[in-house]
Amino acid sequence: MTTIQPQPFAPPLAPIRLRTALARIILEQVLDRVPVDVVLPDGSRLGRSHASGTEPSGIRPVVELRHPTAFFERLARDPKIGIGEGYMDGHWRAAPGTDLADVLLPFAERLTTAVPRPWVALRRIVDRAVPREQRNTLTGSRRNIEAHYDLSNDLFASFLDETLTYSSALFDRTRSLRSQSLEEAQLRKVHAILDEARVTQGTRVLEIGTGWGTLAIEAARRGARVTTLTLSREQAALARQRAEAAGVADAVDIRVEDYREARGRFDAIVSVEMIEAVGEEYWPTYFRALDGLLAQGGTVAIQAILMSHDRYLVTRRSFGWIQKHIFPGGLIPSLQAVSEVTERETELRLTQVHTFGQDYAETLRRWRETFLRAWPLVQRLGFDETFRRKWEFYLAYCEAGFASGYLDVAQLRLERAA
């Protein structure tokens, strides 16, 4: 929006004032299309806030805009990042009785239609390129991973289940969700992807992205020999302890090592929600590495967060709130992008796709509820209220993405072409 220039006689603050006024106008027009009510400090509603329809519950979500001037100024300076940062700073919140994910869901459902078409052209002006320091070079990848996964093992343990699995669970949809614990659903996910990779007694397994070791432990319990790679020293240390406690340490080799540094041949290569951290620039390198490490007749199984190809093309060069505050260097691929890069760069081909995006929405809902309940413990670890709001927004934002279908998650099997 910086193309809006002041006249020569305008005061120095005119550009930001103009952008701030424009940000408010655009949000008011968005609210004409999205069934969410935004209430100002004086009790009035922003704009008309009368978009038709309600949510499935029959109740319209309500937002309290507590500091309108500060919020619109932030939105004017950085439209893509300002909403999340406004929540972090307490400029807005879900009203009492309204869940944050319920606020975000209507926007996610109307992502391509909420902004009136005349304003969509401004995207080229407001989009920011991904900073070069977030490139996933060998050193950049370590820095990006450490920024998230080395926050604190105790932090993650406060809201994850007993398996310490930080990826989508897989629920049994023939049973009620309430009857299934998150631990049970996470183990179902782990064994589903091990099945996709055909991991059995004697299988040589390479895992890219150790997490806290659950998949490696379960593969070892099947009788496999596992080499697992992570860039997080915090994760590696705890994963080693857990493998020892499970009695499988002799079958699990946990390495602090980049996938580009791996050597050997493996019958099965498994990677759960790691491709999102690779970065588009390095997808060819990543898939060529998998191809080169896979033994003849072997199988690759990847769990990947996905978005539609159209949305991927729109977002691939754009710097957003998640990249700035949660996953530096990250990019979510499309299924088409994965297929195209593997066909262009390798002999690997997609042979199986199983999607379960709604299960991720449920997983995130449970994580967020547990995180908020555990906040007193997390706070004692040294994290402040801004961090709490940041992670609450992150988990709710992602939940809305999967619940709306804007995001999906899938287990993908790749094999060499016959």
Side-chain angles (χ1 to χ4, degrees):
M1 299 180 187
T2 53
T3 54
I4 301 176
Q5 299 294 332
Q7 297 299 317
F9 59 86
L13 292 180
I16 187 61
R17 286 174 178 166
L18 286 172
R19 294 198 301 271
T20 299
L22 184 57
R24 177 168 181 149
I25 289 169
I26 293 173
L27 182 56
E28 288 176 341
Q29 292 184 9
V30 167
L31 291 171
D32 287 340
R33 299 166 176 237
V34 178
V36 173
D37 291 329
V38 176
V39 179
L40 298 170
D42 64 3
S44 65
R45 292 181 178 183
L46 182 66
R48 287 178 290 175
S49 291
H50 293 155
S52 61
T54 60
E55 291 308 282
S57 64
I59 301 172
R60 289 171 65 97
V62 180
V63 168
E64 292 181 352
L65 192 52
R66 306 175 73 191
H67 304 287
T69 301
F71 174 72
F72 286 119
E73 286 180 354
R74 184 181 291 278
L75 203 59
R77 289 188 173 94
D78 203 331
K80 288 197 66 180
I81 294 173
I83 291 175
E85 290 188 339
Y87 190 82
M88 289 166 58
D89 288 345
H91 295 162
W92 66 275
R93 67 180 183 183
T98 298
D99 183 74
L100 180 58
D102 290 341
V103 168
L104 299 173
L105 179 59
F107 293 96
E109 291 173 331
R110 297 160 179 81
L111 198 64
T112 60
T113 60
V115 178
R117 186 169 296 276
W119 300 120
V120 172
L122 291 177
R123 184 183 184 98
R124 291 175 296 178
I125 300 171
V126 302
D127 268 354
R128 294 169 51 194
V130 179
R132 288 188 61 80
E133 58 266 25
Q134 287 199 6
R135 290 180 64 226
N136 286 294
T137 61
L138 281 169
T139 56
S141 286
R142 291 180 188 273
R143 184 171 59 248
N144 289 339
I145 291 298
E146 288 169 356
H148 187 80
Y149 292 97
D150 281 355
L151 284 168
S152 164
N153 283 336
D154 290 337
L155 163 66
F156 288 98
S158 73
F159 70 91
L160 299 178
D161 66 279
E162 292 299 313
T163 68
L164 290 180
T165 305
Y166 189 41
S167 51
S168 180
L170 179 62
F171 292 90
D172 182 351
R173 289 291 171 168
T174 67
R175 298 163 49 201
S176 71
L177 292 178
R178 289 185 178 183
S179 71
Q180 301 173 64
S181 70
L182 191 53
E183 179 180 5
E184 175 188 355
Q186 289 290 11
L187 288 172
R188 180 179 293 106
K189 177 272 303 294
V190 167
H191 285 284
I193 199 164
L194 291 176
D195 289 345
E196 288 285 356
R198 303 187 176 100
V199 174
T200 59
Q201 180 76 33
T203 303
R204 297 169 296 171
V205 177
L206 173 66
E207 180 189 21
I208 301 177
T210 305
W212 287 275
T214 294
L215 187 145
I217 291 168
E218 294 301 317
R221 284 173 170 162
R222 291 187 175 203
R225 303 289 300 183
V226 184
T227 299
T228 180
L229 312 181
T230 179
L231 295 179
S232 168
R233 297 186 184 277
E234 289 253 350
Q235 285 188 328
L238 185 52
R240 290 187 184 108
Q241 293 175 23
R242 297 182 75 228
E244 184 73 34
V248 297
D250 290 346
V252 178
D253 181 12
I254 299 170
R255 303 179 183 177
V256 179
E257 183 175 289
D258 193 280
Y259 69 89
R260 287 162 285 197
E261 300 169 315
R263 299 293 181 268
R265 287 289 185 276
F266 301 89
D267 306 307
I269 301 176
V270 182
S271 189
V272 176
E273 293 181 29
M274 183 271 178
I275 188 174
E276 303 86 356
V278 169
E280 183 183 38
E281 177 183 3
Y282 293 96
W283 287 347
T285 304
Y286 173 74
F287 284 108
R288 285 197 299 265
L290 300 187
D291 199 12
L293 293 162
L294 189 66
Q296 191 64 32
T299 305
V300 175
I302 295 173
Q303 183 165 310
I305 298 172
L306 302 169
M307 64 172 59
S308 72
H309 195 63
D310 287 345
R311 296 306 304 168
Y312 150 71
L313 291 175
V314 169
T315 61
R316 60 199 287 252
R317 305 291 187 209
S318 182
F319 186 56
W321 183 87
I322 287 282
Q323 291 160 307
K324 180 176 179 180
H325 290 284
I326 305 295
F327 292 114
L331 178 66
I332 295 172
S334 67
L335 188 61
Q336 181 177 331
V338 171
S339 182
E340 287 176 354
V341 72
T342 52
E343 290 183 9
R344 184 176 66 249
E345 302 289 342
T346 74
E347 295 181 5
L348 299 173
R349 299 294 181 269
L350 275 169
T351 59
Q352 182 75 24
V353 178
H354 173 221
T355 61
F356 50 104
Q358 290 303 310
D359 287 9
Y360 218 152
E362 176 66 14
T363 303
L364 286 153
R365 185 188 65 79
R366 296 191 187 197
W367 285 347
R368 182 164 56 97
E369 288 181 352
T370 306
F371 174 79
L372 293 175
R373 283 198 305 269
W375 175 246
L377 170 63
V378 176
Q379 194 171 31
R380 287 197 292 272
L381 297 173
F383 297 98
D384 62 12
E385 283 294 318
T386 300
F387 181 87
R388 181 189 64 78
R389 288 191 294 268
K390 177 169 72 173
W391 272 64
E392 182 185 11
F393 184 83
Y394 151 54
L395 294 170
Y397 177 82
C398 292
E399 179 187 338
F402 287 101
S404 67
Y406 171 69
L407 297 176
D408 206 347
V409 66
Q411 290 187 351
L412 313 176
R413 181 191 294 162
L414 297 101
E415 301 170 274
R416 288 206 180 93

